[in-house]
Amino acid sequence: MKVCKFGGTSMSDASSIIRSANIVKSDPMRKFVIVSAPGKVNGEEKITDMLINCYETVKKGASCKTVFSKVENRFNNIIKDLGLDIDLTEKFAKILLNIDNGASKDYAASRGEYLMAIVFAKVLGYEFVDAQDIIKFFPDKTFDSEYTNDYVSKVLNEMKNTGVVVPGFYGRTPDGAICTFSRGGSDVTGSIIARAIKADLYENWTDVNGFMMCDPRIVQNPAKINVLTYKELRELSYMGATVLHPESIFPVRRADIPINIKNTFEPENSGTMIVPSKDYVGQNGRIITGIAGKKDFTAIFIEKSMMNGELGFARKALSVLEHYDVSIEHMPTGIDTLSLVIESCNLEGKLDHVLARLQAILNPDHIEVLEHLSMIATVGHGMSKRKGTAAKLFGALYQAGINIKMIDQGSSELNIIVGVDNSDFEKAIEAIYNAFVK
Ligand code: ASP
């Protein structure tokens, strides 16, 4: 069985919806379908954004009738263009009433997926199953994975022959309130359902041909990644590559189910396969899999002679960050030095306090702060046990005249992370790409 999730662009208007339906119908294994709300089209914003706007309007004390009429129009146009015999008037009225009466932001945001799944089920002749009946959250709004897994597998396994469409992005807490994942969360729903029905493959249909080796806004036409492992994907998406919701790999990874990123608008393209490490077949001779990075980090360098002999030094440093509710991204260490690398936005209004407390608790010889730092991760299983990878990477940065301010290599040898000045960010990614790919 295959689970197919279609993103907002694949549902944005009648012609994309017909394309998506043809994809489902072309393979009898595609019996479980998850949809996002219609995405942007002709300068109009995403349905989810319109719905959040409805909620905000009501919060300011007005009725959301006018904003909500845009949502109605989008769906009515889709239904008309598809020639569907379906009338959502009553559902619209109920949703409008609920939002006007103060329904939650999660409720409002989720209604695009809800309506879209009803429409797409009609197009396919599949059954509609509401996500709120099968995806469960705890009262604190964290996802209840085990209960959901058992429940979904019981309910959906019996519907293998019928075909099912489930709205992505949301579920329900025990008190009946709608609860959403974070934005882009329909990817997570798809993964949960793939795990529960023990799918052979989780197909994630989007509007690109898969993961590129680096950001196409930085390097023109970068090579596509044909296959990568869950671990490589974690590294790349954590560092900024955004094709898939970062949490969507966890459910399928538990069941070793591969994910195939596919393009609805170029279905013959093989896309990107994301596989467990054991099924990794390499990158056609390429040493690295991808390069990703993020700007705007701050590094706090702490220096103290004989630091290595001082029991609890790192714990004390980290307790300061914990005290100020600041999470840390990297922690490269030397014999007498410890560096704390933090996303700058997490230190806003807190940096001076953090420094004063580090000074008081650690009594270091020297503390220095480096701001406007970019972190760039070069990722790939192929790098491990291969001589000369680091030399090639650092050589490329040297040739491009880039000063490396920090180096951090994960113990798995899956990545090498370098810190450079924000102003060198794009140049550094291009230099690394050219060194390994061209
Ligand atoms: N519609 C939601 C969003 O725009 C969820 C999703 O598309 O996955 O974030």
Side-chain angles (χ1 to χ4, degrees):
M1 278 294 140
K2 289 179 184 172
V3 166
C4 314
K5 180 259 166 179
F6 288 91
T9 41
S10 308
M11 293 288 127
S12 60
D13 58 12
S15 74
S16 320
I17 294 171
I18 292 169
R19 276 179 171 279
S20 307
N22 288 340
I23 289 168
V24 176
K25 291 291 179 185
S26 66
D27 185 342
M29 301 266 279
R30 293 183 176 129
K31 283 285 190 272
F32 295 92
V33 177
I34 291 86
V35 291
S36 282
K40 285 186 191 163
V41 75
N42 303 330
E44 263 191 45
E45 53 182 353
K46 286 172 127 188
I47 289 284
T48 310
D49 291 319
M50 291 181 189
L51 288 162
I52 292 174
N53 195 354
C54 289
Y55 165 80
E56 307 283 357
T57 308
V58 173
K59 225 172 109 195
K60 284 186 203 132
S63 162
C64 68
K65 198 167 186 328
T66 318
V67 195
F68 190 73
S69 66
K70 290 201 228 162
V71 176
E72 290 186 28
N73 285 344
R74 270 293 280 290
F75 276 105
N76 282 336
N77 284 338
I78 287 174
I79 291 169
K80 183 172 85 240
D81 293 347
L82 290 170
L84 286 182
D85 175 23
I86 176 174
D87 183 2
L88 296 178
T89 314
E90 269 179 32
K91 297 212 166 8
F92 291 147
K94 191 169 168 204
I95 294 170
L96 172 62
L97 189 73
N98 286 341
I99 302 180
D100 264 352
N101 283 342
S104 70
K105 185 175 179 184
D106 283 11
Y107 171 82
S110 70
R111 294 304 85 188
E113 272 71 11
Y114 167 71
L115 294 168
M116 190 61 236
I118 293 174
V119 172
F120 203 46
K122 184 83 183 171
V123 174
L124 294 173
Y126 282 11
E127 198 126 337
F128 165 77
V129 173
D130 195 345
Q132 66 161 320
D133 297 332
I134 53 173
I135 308 280
K136 304 289 175 192
F137 286 81
F138 289 114
D140 67 359
K141 297 177 115 193
T142 53
F143 171 55
D144 185 347
S145 68
E146 293 322 294
Y147 181 86
T148 301
N149 188 53
D150 288 349
Y151 198 69
V152 173
S153 71
K154 265 191 223 115
V155 176
L156 294 191
N157 268 318
E158 287 179 9
M159 303 176 85
K160 268 190 182 129
N161 300 325
T162 332
V164 180
V165 180
V166 182
F169 190 38
Y170 70 93
R172 186 169 65 177
T173 54
D175 63 357
I178 295 287
C179 183
T180 60
F181 294 106
S182 58
R183 293 297 303 264
S186 302
D187 287 343
V188 185
T189 312
S191 179
I192 291 165
I193 291 179
R195 176 187 170 207
I197 65 139
K198 299 192 174 53
D200 300 294
L201 182 65
Y202 172 26
E203 288 182 335
N204 192 289
W205 291 88
T206 176
D207 56 356
V208 291
N209 283 335
F211 278 89
M212 301 297 132
M213 282 193 70
C214 62
D215 189 338
R217 287 166 301 186
I218 298 175
V219 172
Q220 257 193 358
N221 283 327
K224 182 174 68 114
I225 303 176
N226 293 325
V227 53
L228 80 163
T229 64
Y230 299 135
K231 278 189 190 154
E232 290 175 321
L233 175 65
R234 269 298 287 158
E235 302 274 344
L236 288 170
S237 49
Y238 167 72
M239 287 301 277
T242 54
V243 175
L244 203 60
H245 190 294
E247 281 161 38
S248 57
I249 51 173
F250 298 120
V252 280
R253 194 169 73 176
R254 297 182 66 162
D256 271 3
I257 298 164
I259 309 173
N260 193 187
I261 309 285
K262 295 274 286 176
N263 188 350
T264 302
F265 305 91
E266 216 182 303
E268 55 297 335
N269 192 301
S270 59
T272 296
M273 270 304 239
I274 303 157
V275 299
S277 302
K278 67 174 179 46
D279 296 335
Y280 180 69
V281 289
Q283 292 294 334
N284 289 336
R286 261 189 233 137
I287 301 172
I288 66 166
T289 300
I291 309 155
K294 284 201 275 194
K295 284 186 174 176
D296 295 324
F297 287 86
T298 297
I300 302 174
F301 296 107
I302 305 164
E303 195 177 328
K304 187 172 188 186
S305 301
M306 307 301 288
M307 171 193 288
N308 59 338
E310 190 175 323
L311 207 62
F313 191 87
R315 181 186 54 75
K316 281 187 242 163
L318 293 177
S319 74
V320 173
L321 297 181
E322 196 174 356
H323 178 81
Y324 285 104
D325 202 17
V326 171
S327 65
I328 176 177
E329 305 296 322
H330 307 278
M331 196 171 75
T333 53
I335 305 293
D336 284 335
T337 60
L338 178 77
S339 314
L340 306 170
V341 184
I342 298 154
E343 275 201 272
S344 304
C345 56
N346 291 334
L347 279 168
E348 248 167 44
K350 296 180 182 171
L351 182 60
D352 289 342
H353 301 289
V354 168
L355 292 177
R357 201 166 168 115
L358 285 171
Q359 186 71 47
I361 289 192
L362 301 175
N363 193 22
D365 299 335
H366 182 63
I367 294 194
E368 202 178 311
V369 176
L370 189 65
E371 291 182 278
H372 313 297
L373 199 64
S374 287
M375 304 300 284
I376 299 171
T378 303
V379 176
H381 281 292
M383 299 188 332
S384 64
K385 302 181 190 74
R386 182 101 56 140
K387 286 181 204 149
T389 309
K392 201 168 187 169
L393 193 148
F394 298 131
L397 294 174
Y398 167 71
Q399 292 291 338
I402 294 164
N403 185 17
I404 303 172
K405 302 198 172 229
M406 179 181 303
I407 299 169
D408 191 9
Q409 181 175 24
S411 50
S412 60
E413 272 196 85
L414 188 64
N415 65 20
I416 299 177
I417 298 178
V418 292
V420 301
D421 194 85
N422 272 347
S423 60
D424 283 331
F425 178 69
E426 288 82 7
K427 201 159 79 166
I429 291 186
E430 209 178 343
I432 300 171
Y433 180 83
N434 289 340
F436 284 98
V437 183
K438 288 224 161 140

